[in-house]
Amino acid sequence: MIEQLKALELESLDKLKAIDSLSDLDQWRVEVLGRKGSLALLLRGMGQLPAADRPAVGARANEVKNTLEAAYALAENGIKQQAIGQRLHQDQVDVTLPGRRPGSGRLHLSTQSLQEIGRIFATMGFQVWESPEVELDLFNFELLNIPPYHPARDMQDTFYTTNSDILLRTHTSPGQIRVMRRYAPEPIRVILPGKCYRFEQVTTRSDIQFYQVEGLAVGRHITLADLKGTIANFAIQMFGPGREVRFRYSYFPFTEPSVEADVDCIICGGKGCRLCKYSGWLEIMGAGMVHPTVLRNGGYDPDIYSGFAFGMGPGRISMLQHAIDDIRYILTSDLRFLEQF
Amino acid sequence: MRVPVSWLKEYVNLTLTPDELAYRLTMSGLEVEKIEHTGADWERDKLVVGEIVETKPHPNADRLTIALVNDGSSAEPKLCITGAPNIKPGMQHVKVPFARLGATIVDGHTDDGSTFVIKPAKLRGIASEGVLCSEKELGISADHSGIMLLDPRAPVGMPLVDWLGDTVLEIAILPNIARALSVTGVAREVAALTGEKLRYPQLTGEGTGPAIAGQIHVDKIHVEIADPDLCARYSAAIIRHVTIGPSPLWMQRRLTLAGMRPINNIVDITNYVMLELGQPLHAFDYDRLPLEQGRKQIVVRRARPGEQMRTLDGQLRTFTPDMLLITAGETPVAIGGIMGGEDTEVHGGTRTILLEAANFDFINNRRAAQLLRLPSEAAGRFGRGVDPELTIPALQRAGEFMRLYAGGAVDQGFADAYPGRKPPLTIPLTAREVQRLLGMDLSQAEIAALLRSLDFQVAEQGEVLLVTVPSFRLDVTIAADLVEEVGRVIGSDRLPATQLADELPPPHRDLLWEHEQAVKEILVGCGLQEIITYSMTTPEAEAKVYLDTPEAAGHSPAYIRLANPISSERTAMRRTLLNSMMENLALNLRYRQRITIFEVARVYLPEGGSGDGLPAEPARLGIALTGPRIPHDWSQGTAEAPPLDFFDLKGIVETLLTDRLHIQGVAFRSASHPSMHPGRCAELLIQDQVAGVLGEVHPLVAERYDIPGRVCLAEIRLDQVLPQVQTMHLYHTISRFPAVTQDIAVIVDDETAAAAVEQVIRETGSSLLRHVQLFDIYRGEQIPSGKKSLAYTLEFQADDRTLTEDEVATLRHQIVQTLAERLGASLRA
């Protein structure tokens, strides 16, 4: 019996060595260790052994069983490892192949800058206000202190409609009058974003349609120094810390004093480069203190109230931010352009 | 405006470099757009002032002249050979620009500005030792018609750059520039900015001839202003015995630098004085002024309807009564402040000049110049306003020049009609007002000093400054103007940057604006690219997107049309985004297969306006999809992905309106639309109101845009949608009890809308029916023809208990029964 056990052990271990799949392994387990397996069959003969031999045979049989079970566990682990290894090997990919992009949409570049400008001014208490694009001459010019044939009209070549009192607004400033008339005598802090139109030759620097963001603050204690502080805040929020703003005195019919606001060049920081045309400064907006006539037309007494206004082009801002050299891309809505932002 | 720095120096000491000067001017409101240096590249040792000491004919060539030039380098003159027509044998003591051997000059025979180095060369057997230069060869102008002649005062041998070199500032002409639209005007600014003193030109032009005087002196000239509203002042002088010829070289040089072409002494003097003082002048040939009523007279009056005159550019002009003419009573001789007449123009034989210095209403002048399309130098100035006090100084200055440089004798006195004289304006100003607007504290004394530096007269009365505005400051009329003067002279560097400290306005949140931004963000989340296109189009372009006429679809044909379109492709304001979307697809399909885009923009509907003549500008959302549903990638191989179709578009609209904006009552109804495929088009309904259209574009419409595949297109009335956005929708409890799912398949008539089936299922299923999902549509075997099978997964769940099988079976049974009753549906076996 001892010999038979020995032979079974050797034979079974031999078979086990040749097994390389989980199903064969399972079959081996049934055949060898199962309830009707070869070991169980052999041990059924135990009863016929003399009683004195039984303990020794029993001990031996346990040993064999343990050995075979341990061998089984080892083989099972080996086969599983091998199988996983194989699967992992087969799954291997060229990680340099292009990824599958979910096809993200994007906001138009102008919307992105418009929203960013809006968010920045919102932190300073400016709310959004919208006004018509097709405007009365009265609001676009006359109430803004630009009478008919005034030389200031040359600054803004205008699309007129077949009704000569009605035009396409050349700037968002008519919204100043509309918002003042709506809220006078409340204090006002608004930004007025929107499309504007100018009768101009289309060039790399100007298009017949563009966005403008007007800002207007009216109250009892608003000063040119506040305007400078507000624009400095904006420049730092928009272009990053350390930006400086300078004012150049200028002329707009609806502001007095009037200034052009420049920010030190975002590329060279003022040393001079191609972007700033070696001036060290980038013009970002026109601004000034609301002209007393305009305040009065809006329903505010200019002796009591003062206000500032500014106007900038988000197109110009994004051209600066991304070094875009041709404004015409912005309205062609060429996806090859838009998908870059 | 071009301002030569050398000219500027005549009136003010310059302590700054041209660059510094340009910076100071720019910061204070005179924007220097360009700084031009002439002669910066002239070699000091090679380009010098030379003097022709002797000229003789070239022995071997008739058209060449030999000039012996003293260039100051040696006693021996240099020999030059020239073919220039203005250097003739016999000329002596003429100063010229002389280029020594080795100098680099511009090639006079090409137009590309190329240069060359002068090398020793023989011309017809005689060696030349240098070159006499034309303006073109020096790079000053395009003039190569002769050698440039220098002022006789030029010192021989001086580096040419020291004599001729200059810096010209180009100053932007803003509408308020009247105060500085002259060299003295700029000099006055410079003086104020640098603390220097202005040296105004000496006006010594007192006449020495017989006296003339204004309206009374009828024997010489009678001046009358019939329309004083358009002409505040008309002054005139008479200069006799002039000889027309070239003006002095220094004057020509300055005119050239300032961008004007020298013509003759009389014209040059009028231009020079205009540039110097800012007063446009006009010279008439006195003898050619017609005698009317037996006398020479000037009558300034509005034109009569249809009145005509030939202007000195040779054009016959016809006038309207709102244009102002200078006439000899009846006969027009000039358009006031715009251009003179041909018949009275100064010519080679002119002996007597009537010199006009007048002041015209700037608005009327601009209007007339625009109507006549005559943008002259004079009109450019009058149209921005000219100081009415300038007429006499300008006549004095010009008269003196004509005496000096045209041999003229100036009659004593001036004719001077001045009906528009205004008393000087005095504006009260306080330091408090300056503080209120600028936000910086300045003492009363400092403010007064700053204003005085700009020639304002300031009287201090307690805490009030009484500021009298000089006549040349037409741009200063109110206290705020004075505040700007103060601000710009101290410079913006001193202006502090402060934070708004004023009361915050009450909040007025613009929810519609926010919702509009939300719409964009949601669509971006759906994978769409936002586009922005032109608002201007043509009615014809928009008609393209409708298979029928737009009217056939109930669309109005009324457009906001432009009176002055810039191109034939942009003549009117768009009424729809549909055409814009199609145009954009067509453009981008050249580079892309798959395009998913949207635009949020206004359309312009004249009929919807609010009574003030302005159109309604409702916001619209346009969506366009075309190409494969799934973007192609390498793992698909060459397999064709199915195209984006109606349901992709509808899914986006549903996601937007229902899932994200929580709008109630969104429904879709089969519809016909002149742009759309008749079988794949729906109207969007919100609370039973039509709020848009979506569908696949009719193939014949797509063909018009050369788009071959399926195109999905929607236009949604955002103005109706946005007010419906729910910001406060209720949340659904997430049940802790298990859900039970059941599949049912029902057979209905082919025409039965899926939405109707789903509606019955939902209504019958009660609140326990949590989800209904259509997972299959089947027609064919086992289904009678004219019928279809719709298969749904129904999910039941209660919030407070586990549903029993009986409960679910009952609900399911009720659903099937109701479907049978209402829609004639039968359960598929």
Side-chain angles (χ1 to χ4, degrees):
Chain A
M1 190 88 178
I2 298 283
E3 283 75 37
Q4 279 177 308
L5 278 170
K6 176 79 182 166
L8 178 72
E9 182 184 355
L10 289 176
E11 186 192 351
S12 298
L13 287 175
D14 246 18
K15 273 190 192 163
L16 189 61
K17 268 186 203 153
I19 286 174
D20 59 358
S21 78
L22 282 174
S23 56
D24 288 355
L25 184 68
D26 196 49
Q27 199 184 339
W28 179 91
R29 188 183 56 78
V30 172
E31 282 172 8
V32 177
L33 294 168
R35 273 191 301 161
K36 293 175 184 169
S38 40
L39 185 62
L41 282 179
L42 187 66
L43 291 179
R44 270 182 215 164
M46 279 256 287
Q48 287 148 31
L49 288 179
D53 291 351
R54 281 185 202 166
V57 172
R60 180 66 191 140
N62 257 339
E63 265 180 45
V64 170
K65 193 180 172 213
N66 287 342
T67 307
L68 291 176
E69 277 177 350
Y72 169 80
L74 198 67
E76 186 189 35
N77 188 37
I79 290 168
K80 275 189 179 166
Q81 287 291 342
Q82 197 184 8
I84 286 170
Q86 219 162 36
R87 208 178 81 202
L88 293 179
H89 181 74
Q90 281 163 1
D91 279 353
Q92 200 173 320
V93 294
D94 175 358
V95 296
T96 65
L97 281 171
R100 270 180 218 108
R101 301 181 185 192
S104 168
R106 288 168 181 81
L107 291 174
H108 190 282
L109 175 61
S110 296
T111 305
Q112 292 183 30
S113 357
L114 216 71
Q115 290 188 350
E116 190 176 3
I117 292 167
R119 282 192 296 268
I120 292 171
F121 281 105
T123 65
M124 293 184 265
F126 286 77
Q127 309 171 45
V128 170
W129 169 271
E130 289 189 283
S131 75
E133 292 172 27
V134 180
E135 255 297 5
L136 297 169
D137 187 285
L138 185 69
F139 281 80
N140 196 74
F141 289 127
E142 290 182 46
L143 293 172
L144 291 170
N145 201 28
I146 315 173
Y149 294 101
H150 190 275
R153 291 207 176 199
D154 286 359
M155 296 168 81
Q156 301 186 2
D157 289 325
T158 309
F159 283 112
Y160 288 91
T161 70
T162 44
N163 175 344
S164 62
D165 295 333
I166 296 179
L167 43 76
L168 307 191
R169 68 173 173 194
T170 54
H171 48 181
T172 42
S173 308
Q176 285 187 26
I177 300 286
R178 291 187 178 274
V179 73
M180 282 193 277
R181 289 191 171 183
R182 170 73 180 75
Y183 290 131
E186 283 180 10
I188 291 177
R189 275 185 218 180
V190 289
I191 58 166
L192 307 108
K195 287 174 186 160
C196 302
Y197 306 88
R198 298 237 177 125
F199 180 82
E200 282 177 2
Q201 279 312 311
V202 177
T203 67
T204 55
R205 290 170 57 94
S206 68
D207 203 340
I208 54 173
Q209 177 180 324
F210 54 95
Y211 271 102
Q212 204 175 58
V213 180
E214 185 98 0
L216 175 71
V218 178
R220 288 168 184 267
H221 310 285
I222 288 176
T223 68
L224 192 68
D226 290 341
L227 173 64
K228 197 175 182 185
T230 303
I231 293 176
N233 287 347
F234 168 74
I236 287 169
Q237 298 299 316
M238 189 82 199
F239 300 113
R243 289 276 79 82
E244 275 183 48
V245 165
R246 77 170 188 191
F247 277 180
R248 270 181 291 125
Y249 282 89
S250 185
Y251 172 79
F252 301 104
F254 33 90
T255 48
E256 188 72 44
S258 300
V259 296
E260 296 269 7
D262 299 337
V263 61
D264 59 336
C265 180
I266 56 176
I267 298 288
C268 65
K271 289 187 201 72
C273 68
R274 237 182 54 153
L275 182 67
C276 60
K277 299 198 194 76
Y278 303 96
S279 70
W281 294 93
L282 301 169
E283 184 179 322
I284 54 169
M285 63 179 89
M289 297 300 290
V290 180
H291 195 284
T293 302
V294 176
L295 279 175
R296 208 175 290 118
N297 289 339
Y300 290 83
D301 179 349
D303 291 331
I304 299 171
Y305 293 91
S306 58
F308 66 63
F310 55 84
M312 71 180 113
R316 162 111 183 117
I317 305 274
S318 25
M319 286 177 82
L320 291 177
Q321 280 182 315
H322 303 286
I324 298 164
D325 54 6
D326 190 341
I327 203 167
R328 290 172 296 187
Y329 279 119
I330 291 176
L331 271 187
T332 55
S333 279
D334 185 326
L335 295 180
R336 295 172 300 173
F337 174 77
L338 294 180
E339 286 174 0
Q340 295 184 36
F341 303 99
Chain B
M1 181 182 49
R2 293 171 55 89
V3 180
V5 170
S6 60
W7 193 352
L8 200 57
K9 282 181 181 161
E10 188 175 326
Y11 315 115
V12 64
N13 282 340
L14 285 184
T15 48
L16 305 172
T17 66
D19 285 340
E20 288 165 347
L21 178 64
Y23 177 81
R24 289 297 302 275
L25 286 173
T26 298
M27 294 304 287
S28 69
L30 287 183
E31 187 186 350
V32 178
E33 292 180 311
K34 204 170 130 196
I35 305 175
E36 193 182 287
H37 299 279
T38 26
D41 50 355
W42 295 340
E43 297 145 294
R44 297 185 65 83
D45 59 332
K46 298 200 179 76
L47 274 164
V48 297
V49 174
E51 180 176 20
I52 299 179
V53 291
E54 194 188 338
T55 42
K56 50 192 181 189
H58 192 293
N60 306 326
D62 289 346
R63 291 171 52 192
L64 295 180
T65 304
I66 292 174
L68 295 173
V69 179
N70 175 10
D71 71 347
S73 63
S74 62
E76 206 50 29
K78 302 276 190 311
L79 190 154
C80 293
I81 300 166
T82 176
N86 64 339
I87 305 294
K88 288 286 170 216
M91 276 176 99
Q92 267 186 318
H93 307 302
V94 176
K95 302 277 176 67
V96 290
F98 178 70
R100 292 173 179 151
L101 294 177
T104 304
I105 61 171
V106 175
D107 187 347
H109 301 289
T110 64
D111 285 324
D112 57 5
S114 56
T115 58
F116 69 95
V117 177
I118 300 168
K119 296 197 179 92
K122 282 189 174 179
L123 263 174
R124 297 275 175 129
I126 298 179
S128 194
E129 297 173 291
V131 170
L132 308 181
C133 299
S134 68
E135 289 190 11
K136 185 175 180 183
E137 284 166 323
L138 293 173
I140 293 175
S141 75
D143 186 1
H144 192 54
S145 62
I147 302 304
M148 183 179 187
L149 301 181
L150 301 179
D151 194 299
R153 293 170 297 183
V156 169
M158 177 185 258
L160 195 63
V161 62
D162 292 347
W163 181 252
L164 265 193
D166 212 330
T167 303
V168 177
L169 306 179
E170 270 202 59
I171 296 177
I173 297 184
L174 294 178
N176 68 337
I177 201 178
R179 67 172 192 276
L181 204 48
S182 63
V183 184
T184 51
V186 175
R188 184 180 284 118
E189 291 278 316
V190 173
L193 292 174
T194 58
E196 293 289 331
K197 229 179 145 45
L198 177 71
R199 291 187 297 270
Y200 207 70
Q202 290 293 310
L203 300 168
T204 53
E206 289 302 320
T208 50
I212 66 164
Q215 284 144 299
I216 45 156
H217 219 284
V218 292
D219 57 328
K220 303 256 173 29
I221 188 77
H222 171 84
V223 173
E224 181 187 326
I225 299 175
D227 289 300
D229 55 325
L230 300 186
C231 177
R233 189 173 191 182
Y234 194 101
S235 314
I238 293 174
I239 300 102
R240 300 175 194 277
H241 312 306
V242 297
T243 309
I244 306 294
S247 60
L249 289 169
W250 62 264
M251 186 178 278
Q252 291 190 31
R253 170 83 185 134
R254 284 186 169 176
L255 290 173
T256 307
L257 284 171
M260 296 195 85
R261 200 161 50 88
I263 294 170
N264 61 42
N265 46 6
I266 301 299
V267 175
D268 290 359
I269 287 166
T270 59
N271 283 335
Y272 184 88
V273 172
M274 173 177 74
L275 294 176
E276 183 182 49
L277 303 180
Q279 171 69 52
L281 295 170
H282 182 68
F284 293 100
D285 184 323
Y286 179 82
D287 299 321
R288 290 185 171 189
L289 286 172
L291 273 174
E292 284 182 18
Q293 298 167 343
R295 63 187 183 186
K296 299 266 184 183
Q297 60 173 2
I298 291 288
V299 178
V300 184
R301 59 162 171 84
R302 285 185 161 84
R304 301 189 179 118
E307 205 168 2
Q308 288 186 319
M309 185 190 73
R310 196 172 292 280
T311 42
L312 42 78
D313 57 1
Q315 300 286 315
L316 185 65
R317 312 264 175 187
T318 307
F319 308 111
T320 57
D322 41 15
M323 297 173 184
L324 192 70
L325 296 181
I326 314 300
T327 70
E330 285 302 310
T331 320
V333 293
I335 316 169
I338 295 176
M339 192 175 272
E342 197 178 57
D343 290 347
T344 52
E345 190 183 357
V346 171
H347 60 101
T350 296
R351 298 290 296 150
T352 309
I353 301 287
L354 175 78
L355 191 59
E356 164 200 294
N359 196 277
F360 301 103
D361 175 67
F362 78 106
I363 294 281
N364 183 266
N365 178 277
R366 281 175 51 76
R367 196 164 160 279
Q370 278 177 25
L371 291 172
L372 292 166
R373 299 210 166 79
L374 253 179
S376 68
E377 272 284 339
R381 280 157 213 275
F382 283 124
R384 292 182 175 82
V386 172
D387 173 10
E389 293 298 319
L390 269 179
T391 61
I392 300 297
L395 291 179
Q396 288 174 320
R397 185 71 164 158
E400 174 69 0
F401 283 143
M402 288 185 189
R403 186 180 69 77
L404 288 172
Y405 305 117
V410 184
D411 278 8
Q412 272 180 33
F414 304 101
D416 187 17
Y418 195 176
R421 186 194 296 272
K422 288 199 188 97
L425 181 64
T426 299
I427 304 170
L429 182 71
T430 59
R432 208 194 131 269
E433 182 67 2
V434 175
Q435 206 287 330
R436 186 174 81 97
L437 292 179
L438 289 187
M440 66 191 293
D441 285 315
L442 293 169
S443 72
Q444 191 169 318
E446 189 174 5
I447 294 166
L450 289 165
L451 290 171
R452 286 189 184 114
S453 76
L454 286 163
D455 290 354
F456 289 85
Q457 284 174 34
V458 184
E460 302 193 33
Q461 255 186 20
E463 297 203 335
V464 179
L465 297 175
L466 292 175
V467 184
T468 303
V469 180
S471 63
F472 53 83
R473 291 308 301 267
L474 299 165
D475 56 327
V476 175
T477 55
I478 55 173
D481 296 328
L482 294 175
V483 172
E484 176 170 285
E485 294 305 304
V486 171
R488 65 186 194 87
V489 177
I490 41 177
S492 64
D493 294 350
R494 274 184 63 189
L495 183 72
T498 53
Q499 300 300 317
L500 279 168
D502 206 45
E503 179 192 353
L504 267 179
H508 301 290
R509 187 174 173 192
D510 187 345
L511 267 183
L512 295 185
W513 163 266
E514 288 178 35
H515 293 334
E516 189 178 301
Q517 305 314 306
V519 165
K520 295 182 184 182
E521 299 285 358
I522 293 164
L523 292 172
V524 163
C526 292
L528 271 56
Q529 167 72 50
E530 186 192 12
I531 60 166
I532 298 173
T533 58
Y534 289 97
S535 310
M536 286 172 244
T537 180
T538 63
E540 295 71 31
E542 290 205 336
K544 222 170 111 177
V545 85
Y546 303 114
L547 199 57
D548 264 329
T549 58
E551 292 92 315
H555 295 246
S556 160
Y559 278 87
I560 293 287
R561 289 173 195 264
L562 301 182
N564 57 336
I566 204 159
S567 94
S568 57
E569 288 165 18
R570 311 223 177 270
T571 61
M573 300 303 281
R574 64 182 167 187
R575 297 184 52 96
T576 174
L577 300 186
L578 293 174
N579 172 58
S580 303
M581 300 304 289
M582 290 299 283
E583 286 179 350
N584 190 269
L585 282 184
L587 171 86
N588 280 300
L589 277 170
R590 286 188 281 172
Y591 322 110
R592 292 276 188 283
Q593 266 202 317
R594 181 180 190 277
I595 297 172
T596 58
I597 51 176
F598 75 95
E599 175 164 17
V600 173
R602 300 178 185 185
V603 295
Y604 311 86
L605 310 177
E607 70 276 13
S610 55
D612 47 8
L614 297 183
E617 298 183 9
R620 294 282 185 266
L621 163 64
I623 302 176
L625 316 171
T626 192
R629 178 171 305 150
I630 303 160
H632 183 268
D633 77 79
W634 47 267
S635 62
Q636 290 164 2
T638 52
E640 284 263 323
L644 286 156
D645 68 13
F646 176 81
F647 296 101
D648 295 289
L649 178 61
K650 188 182 173 193
I652 289 169
V653 175
E654 289 172 321
T655 302
L656 173 70
L657 302 180
T658 308
D659 301 350
R660 295 294 313 277
L661 299 177
H662 305 284
I663 294 174
Q664 302 295 304
V666 173
F668 299 87
R669 167 170 85 192
S670 170
S672 67
H673 183 279
S675 303
M676 302 296 187
H677 187 307
R680 294 186 169 213
C681 172
E683 271 173 348
L684 166 70
L685 301 171
I686 296 178
Q687 322 276 16
D688 298 322
Q689 297 287 308
V690 175
V693 64
L694 62 158
E696 289 182 21
V697 174
H698 196 293
L700 292 177
V701 172
E703 204 179 277
R704 293 176 179 173
Y705 296 87
D706 290 324
I707 302 176
R710 280 182 198 274
V711 178
C712 307
L713 191 60
E715 183 169 47
I716 292 171
R717 300 178 189 171
L718 267 195
D719 58 317
Q720 291 177 30
V721 169
L722 296 179
Q724 304 289 335
V725 172
Q726 297 296 309
T727 48
M728 301 278 275
H729 69 282
L730 296 176
Y731 119 103
H732 289 292
T733 318
I734 297 162
S735 174
R736 290 182 290 115
F737 298 92
V740 182
T741 57
Q742 291 264 312
D743 288 354
I744 61 167
V746 291
I747 297 167
V748 292
D749 286 345
D750 230 350
E751 295 80 46
T752 305
V757 176
E758 189 173 320
Q759 197 187 348
V760 171
I761 293 175
R762 284 186 188 277
E763 280 173 19
T764 319
S766 83
S767 62
L768 296 175
L769 176 60
R770 293 293 162 84
H771 291 292
V772 180
Q773 193 181 5
L774 176 69
F775 70 87
D776 187 37
I777 301 171
Y778 179 77
R779 295 178 185 83
E781 263 183 75
Q782 300 161 345
I783 307 294
S785 73
K787 303 268 186 186
K788 64 187 170 189
S789 158
L790 301 174
Y792 295 89
T793 296
L794 312 180
E795 190 182 297
F796 299 94
Q797 194 175 34
D799 292 335
D800 54 352
R801 64 188 191 281
T802 301
L803 291 175
T804 65
E805 277 184 33
D806 275 357
E807 273 178 298
V808 173
T810 309
L811 280 171
R812 177 194 159 101
H813 180 71
Q814 282 169 355
I815 289 169
V816 172
Q817 230 176 3
T818 317
L819 282 171
E821 284 162 16
R822 294 212 207 148
L823 300 172
S826 59
L827 198 61
R828 187 176 168 197

